Amino acid sequence: MRQHLGPTLPSSEITPQRLYLARREFLGASVGALATAAFSANAFAASLAAKPGPFRAEDKPTAKEAVTTYNNFYEFGVEKDDPAKNAGTLRTSPWSIVVEGACDRPGTYALEDLYKPAELEERVYRHRCVEAWSMVVPWIGVPLASVLQKVGATSNAKYVAFETLYDKEQMPGQSRRVLEWPYREGLRIDEAMHPLTLLAVGLYGETLPNQNGAPVRLVVPWKYGFKGIKSIVRIKLQDSQPRTAWNVSAPSEYGFYSNVNPDVDHPRWSQKTERRIGEFRRRETLPFNGYGEQVAELYAGMDLRRNF
Amino acid sequence: MTKRIRDRVIYAVVWLACAAPLLFLVYWGLNDQLGANPITTGLRFLGLWGLRFLVAGLAITPLRGWFGWNFLQRYRRTIGLWGFAYVALHLLTYIGVDQFFDWNTILKDVLKRPYITFGMLGFVLLIPLAVTSTNAMVRRLGGRRWRQLHKLAYVIAPLGVLHYDLLVKADTTWPWMYAAILAVLLGWRVWQVRTRRAATRPVSA
């Protein structure tokens, strides 16, 4: 297993702290720079303290520049650089999340009320996109399990359904029906409660940039990236398997589980290898994205070709 | 300016316009301006320009028919050959950079992945057109046979669009735009043939 438990270097030492501070000083000193920054999606990223958490992949983290400029977030356009260009229209504060369904304390929660700042952990996860590219990201967040315990998920909660914000003003990409909006995702309850499953609010020592799913997103490192629903406004605990956006769009190509699996190809392309962003040669894709030791037992006895 | 010099200047401009995307790609590549995933970005860029030039080549005869722009004819070969060049570079990038000469995987891709099968078929069909593009080859084949052979372009361009459409994840707007343009360009040809046949049909009975 290419990872180990326990505290190691926080990402503030991966990327020199001085660099961040210097940038901040520069921004603070220059009115012009501030004015420019107001138009960039990243303008309000604030530093975010977090204790080093478990599950830190030993892989070298992908450059922050790449993590924040190359991703899919169709709510802001279908090209990889669209989110970074267009996500400035998203207003992330205040932010509330509706929690409903099979739980003892349903209601509308302010994001801040779902976790305590002291609970925030940094975790370095491999991220594998279904398009056969990958990254390594130092996320900051809390285990989804802690939030589900807080709202008192009951035994009727067999699945968790998530929804992204649906607002064409803030998310211009939703004016075109590329997918069924709002974006929906879901997990089986044991997947949702698994210690690896993270509700992320930051990356690289700062609050999430808008383009990466601010202010709160899901990170499920053993599944393809699209399972990591962004800008979450609704969490529903239910007893039936939820609809998920890509499955609705192309059921033969994107299953509910979507576990990273080099042996089950996408119907149109191979999933055997991936290009790690920043590397030249492709690398082999690992079953469950290298997290098999932690999660394979969740799927014991299941046919993963049928349940792709 | 004599006509000869003017023609040469125009030809140079057309040639440079065809080379421009490649020059930009090289410039961006050398200056690290292709984004976080330069290999995929470059691969897509070359493929897209290949398709654009192939479609542009097929637009010339209809444009002559609609607007009488007969002067375009003399640039058709240049445009078509540049289309071939971009497609060839696209393929070489896939083989040598994207897959790093992993012949086993490439062979499987060609046999198993319809989008790669169609793309590869399109490239193979382009080869005889590129080879027979010289004046000497036109003379050797004779105009009639040469024209028959080059009708392969009517199959190759749609294969390119299909190749493009099949790799897009959800938003197929652009592939459909190219498909629509091709439908007009090829549909016009069908309509031409029909009306010509109707005009030459013997009036009897």
Side-chain angles (χ1 to χ4, degrees):
Chain A
M1 217 52 251
R2 293 189 302 167
Q3 65 181 19
H4 52 89
L5 303 178
T8 44
L9 288 181
S11 76
S12 55
E13 292 180 35
I14 294 166
T15 306
Q17 185 97 43
R18 268 188 306 116
L19 233 132
Y20 287 127
L21 294 176
R23 197 194 59 160
R24 222 154 279 290
E25 278 161 23
F26 172 70
L27 280 178
S30 160
V31 175
L34 267 180
T36 314
F39 292 101
S40 98
N42 213 354
F44 303 105
S47 73
L48 192 62
K51 62 189 180 212
F55 307 117
R56 302 177 68 86
E58 282 172 8
D59 309 46
K60 184 174 165 287
T62 305
K64 185 184 170 194
E65 165 79 9
V67 172
T68 56
T69 59
Y70 187 86
N71 68 331
N72 285 316
F73 196 173
Y74 278 20
E75 283 79 347
F76 297 105
V78 298
E79 300 296 330
K80 297 284 176 300
D81 54 352
D82 281 341
K85 280 186 201 156
N86 303 331
T89 46
L90 177 65
R91 295 187 301 272
T92 56
S93 179
W95 192 271
S96 54
I97 300 178
V98 174
V99 180
E100 60 186 356
C103 61
D104 296 330
R105 290 172 288 282
T108 302
Y109 289 83
L111 175 59
E112 313 79 82
D113 296 338
L114 286 177
Y115 63 89
K116 293 192 187 71
E119 294 172 47
L120 290 177
E121 298 177 5
E122 183 181 77
R123 297 181 174 193
V124 183
Y125 280 168
R126 288 180 291 277
H127 176 93
R128 170 61 157 79
C129 179
V130 74
E131 295 166 2
W133 53 267
S134 66
M135 291 183 174
V136 179
V137 184
W139 301 106
I140 291 173
V142 293
L144 176 64
S146 75
V147 173
L148 296 182
Q149 275 154 13
K150 183 163 289 188
V151 301
T154 70
S155 58
N156 288 330
K158 305 273 191 274
Y159 293 90
V160 188
F162 303 87
E163 266 180 42
T164 296
L165 175 71
Y166 185 30
D167 180 343
K168 290 176 188 171
E169 302 280 313
Q170 294 189 61
M171 297 182 150
Q174 290 173 334
S175 316
R176 293 184 51 221
R177 230 178 146 279
V178 181
L179 290 170
E180 186 186 83
W181 310 115
Y183 194 90
R184 290 184 182 84
E185 256 310 334
L187 294 172
R188 214 170 57 187
I189 194 71
D190 56 342
E191 299 175 322
M193 297 300 284
H194 193 277
L196 271 170
T197 304
L198 195 71
L199 209 51
V201 295
L203 60 79
Y204 261 109
E206 297 189 342
T207 54
L208 277 181
N210 286 0
Q211 62 269 32
N212 293 90
V216 59
R217 65 168 291 168
L218 189 65
V219 179
V220 196
W222 72 92
K223 293 177 180 284
Y224 291 119
F226 66 86
K227 293 293 288 184
I229 185 170
K230 305 184 180 83
S231 305
I232 298 167
V233 294
R234 186 180 295 270
I235 297 176
K236 186 174 182 186
L237 296 139
Q238 57 191 55
D239 63 2
S240 58
Q241 183 174 301
R243 289 158 69 76
T244 58
W246 280 100
N247 180 248
V248 167
S249 159
S252 61
E253 301 189 344
Y254 309 98
F256 174 77
Y257 289 97
S258 292
N259 293 320
V260 175
N261 191 344
D263 298 327
V264 177
D265 287 336
H266 185 282
R268 288 180 285 152
W269 58 80
S270 166
Q271 296 290 23
K272 281 198 171 39
T273 62
E274 67 201 49
R275 170 159 294 108
R276 179 70 54 84
I277 298 301
E279 292 181 355
F280 179 70
R281 295 283 299 272
R282 286 173 166 272
R283 43 163 83 209
E284 303 270 312
T285 289
L286 303 172
F288 299 107
N289 202 20
Y291 296 96
E293 200 174 288
Q294 287 82 16
V295 301
E297 61 178 356
L298 298 179
Y299 310 101
M302 272 176 74
D303 181 353
L304 295 178
R305 286 187 174 276
R306 273 189 50 225
N307 298 287
F308 57 93
Chain B
M1 203 155 55
T2 67
K3 188 174 180 305
R4 204 169 139 257
I5 293 175
R6 199 189 61 192
D7 284 353
R8 293 204 143 197
V9 168
I10 294 175
Y11 182 76
V13 169
V14 170
W15 202 91
L16 262 178
C18 291
L22 184 59
L23 296 175
F24 273 106
L25 182 69
V26 170
Y27 175 82
W28 287 329
L30 293 176
N31 289 282
D32 198 18
Q33 286 173 15
L34 288 174
N37 195 351
I39 296 175
T40 302
T41 305
L43 184 63
R44 297 272 163 95
F45 182 92
L46 288 167
L48 202 51
W49 279 100
L51 180 61
R52 284 173 183 162
F53 282 112
L54 294 183
V55 172
L58 285 174
I60 286 175
T61 304
L63 287 173
R64 290 174 63 195
W66 297 330
F67 306 113
W69 294 347
N70 291 321
F71 67 95
L72 287 175
Q73 180 63 22
R74 74 181 73 141
Y75 309 114
R76 190 170 71 170
R77 171 160 60 189
T78 306
I79 290 170
L81 276 172
W82 270 103
F84 172 74
Y86 280 100
V87 172
L89 286 170
H90 171 69
L91 177 64
L92 287 174
T93 306
Y94 162 71
I95 292 172
V97 185
D98 186 47
Q99 299 293 337
F100 207 77
F101 306 104
D102 180 353
W103 296 108
N104 194 17
T105 302
I106 292 168
L107 185 68
K108 276 192 200 141
D109 267 357
V110 171
L111 297 177
K112 237 176 113 175
R113 316 276 162 214
Y115 85 93
I116 296 184
T117 313
F118 291 134
M120 192 62 87
L121 182 62
F123 174 75
V124 169
L125 294 179
L126 266 177
I127 296 172
L129 306 201
V131 169
T132 58
S133 65
T134 60
N135 289 337
M137 283 306 279
V138 180
R139 272 195 303 276
R140 257 179 77 177
L141 282 172
R144 196 186 143 80
R145 277 202 311 185
W146 186 91
R147 275 194 301 276
Q148 289 291 342
L149 176 66
H150 280 247
K151 281 180 180 156
L152 276 176
Y154 305 157
V155 181
I156 295 166
L159 282 171
V161 173
L162 199 57
H163 171 66
Y164 181 20
D165 181 72
L166 283 174
L167 68 82
V168 168
K169 233 165 82 192
D171 183 11
T172 51
T173 314
W174 278 106
W176 279 103
M177 300 262 234
Y178 285 98
I181 294 169
L182 270 184
V184 171
L185 299 179
L186 298 180
W188 177 81
R189 287 173 163 88
V190 173
W191 180 75
Q192 282 294 97
V193 170
R194 286 187 156 201
T195 45
R196 218 175 296 138
R197 272 198 198 133
T200 53
R201 195 173 294 154
V203 188
S204 62

